[in-house]
Amino acid sequence: MKRKYVAEPYRIKMVEPIRVTTKAERIKLLKNAGYNPFSLRSEDVYIDLLTDSGTGAMSQDQWAAMMIGDEAYAGSKSFYRLEGVVKNITGYEYFIPVHQGRGAEKVFLPQLVTHEGMYYISNLHFDTTRAHVELAGARAIDCVVEDCYDIDHYHAFKGNFCIEKLEKAIAEKGKENIAGIIMTITNNSAGGQPVSMANMRKVKEIADKNGIMIIIDGARYAENAFFVKEREEGYQDMDIIDIARETFSYADAFLMSAKKDGLVNMGGIIAIKNNEHLYNLCRTFVVPYEGFPTYGGMNGRDMDALAVGLMEALDENYLRHRIDQVRFLGDKLRDAGVPIQYPVGGHAVFVDCKSFAPHIPYDQFPALSVTNAIYLEAGVRAVEIGSLLLGRDPDTKKNLESRMELMRLTIPRRLYTYDHLDVVAEAVIHVYEHRNELKGYEFQYESPILRHFTSTFKPL
Ligand code: F0G
């Protein structure tokens, strides 16, 4: 029997009750939260699609592995077990654990910034990656393909580097001023969009020609490998782990927020191919920032859970279900005419709120308006990724206009069922059918940095 979306490849052994609220309650709760979904308590959220980061469910094997965690300060068995798995997947020589992705960025990225006026180039920098590039005294340049902004148009690999933009950036800034090339796979900010192997190979060629290092920002590298297998000529018969290994062969280092494809609630990875000098630098700086190099901010038991989770996330049946859940939600919305980033990526459905609510100007935050409306409708929490998140120009203080106004419906791993996603689809479709009633927002309190997290609003 062939199904369009595969059913859950697991049974449920333990359940966590979630609370259903009434619309009248949600109206009060959202007002009390200053119309900012980040300020809602999770107990007041029915289906939480804020992020896929650290929000997934662990397996019985991961919970069992936690019981054998070795909490030694130095040289624990848990460290060596995790190191074995990371080396096996990446083929790299060196591994350092860190507490999460941004810990890896904080330790690693400054090491390649050797003089003033340097740049990191990426397909698209994730927010924290960009922040750590700038904290290290460098600047971030994004070189994603233009297709990524053509929301309704199909492209198998919307996360790809635009090779012309990349070559132009290197030529303009000078190869000696490029600290590194960061390949974000999948490309979170573009909609969890994959990067093709052909594109990575080409980027590697350019990097080699110019003597520049490649760093993989691979929070969702297993999901990327799945898309390569599904969509790229020549990979259909290859195992996911071998596709991942080929990916790693095109880079010099790997930074990972293990909260995604590590299937754990907290954790991170720095892995380095064969550069002993760079490894020694990172090992030195991980001590004051994160912890001794064999725990780097992680518990022994958490390293064991991660060692198991990394392998589970490479299981093709798991991945097919995972991506199918996202596609299921995307298809339902698209069939109802709701504009979304198409095709959907690996971890979320990105709703295009510029076309959803064209009557709301960018500085009244259309994607926040849609996000708040679906919370009111069904207790679903999503997240704005648009002009609110982008912030103000540091010089003119004007609200910057984002190229895309998106609401991200992020699907946690192994957490919700298709029925939950049906509820989400119904809520979004209902709001879409009443989109003319949507109103914009203005600030009540605007926090000076990373304003999307803590600001409060008034509906207009
Ligand atoms: N890189 C990418 C591509 C990410 O998506 C994230 C986190 C990080 C680095 C930083 O990792 O959170 O463990 O420190 N993304 C989360 C999200 C927060 O919601 O997309 P972290």
Side-chain angles (χ1 to χ4, degrees), residues 328-329 332-333 338 420-430:
F328 170 81
L329 178 58
K332 284 223 146 189
L333 297 183
V338 177
H420 287 118
L421 300 180
D422 250 334
V423 173
V424 175
E426 275 172 30
V428 177
I429 292 166
H430 178 90

Side-chain angles (χ1 to χ4, degrees), residues 50-53 99-103 105 124 126 128-129 184-189 217-220 255-260 266-267 347 408 410:
L50 192 62
T51 177
D52 63 326
S53 184
H99 84 282
Q100 66 180 93
R102 62 202 74 183
E105 291 158 1
L124 271 179
F126 179 69
T128 58
T129 322
T184 314
I185 58 172
T186 57
N187 197 337
N188 184 2
S189 315
D217 177 4
R220 302 175 182 86
L255 309 183
M256 182 185 194
S257 166
K259 302 170 73 170
K260 286 83 166 173
M266 192 58 73
H347 68 296
R408 185 178 78 170
T410 337

Side-chain angles (χ1 to χ4, degrees), residues 1-8 320-321 323-333 335 418:
M1 189 179 66
K2 194 156 170 52
R3 293 174 56 101
K4 186 160 182 211
Y5 311 101
V6 301
E8 286 76 8
R320 172 156 300 115
H321 166 261
I323 310 272
D324 262 8
Q325 276 206 329
V326 183
R327 276 201 269 249
F328 170 81
L329 178 58
D331 288 350
K332 284 223 146 189
L333 297 183
D335 289 348
Y418 284 99

Side-chain angles (χ1 to χ4, degrees), residues 192-203:
Q193 295 293 322
V195 179
S196 74
M197 204 66 93
N199 192 253
M200 293 189 241
R201 218 175 286 130
K202 187 77 199 158
V203 172

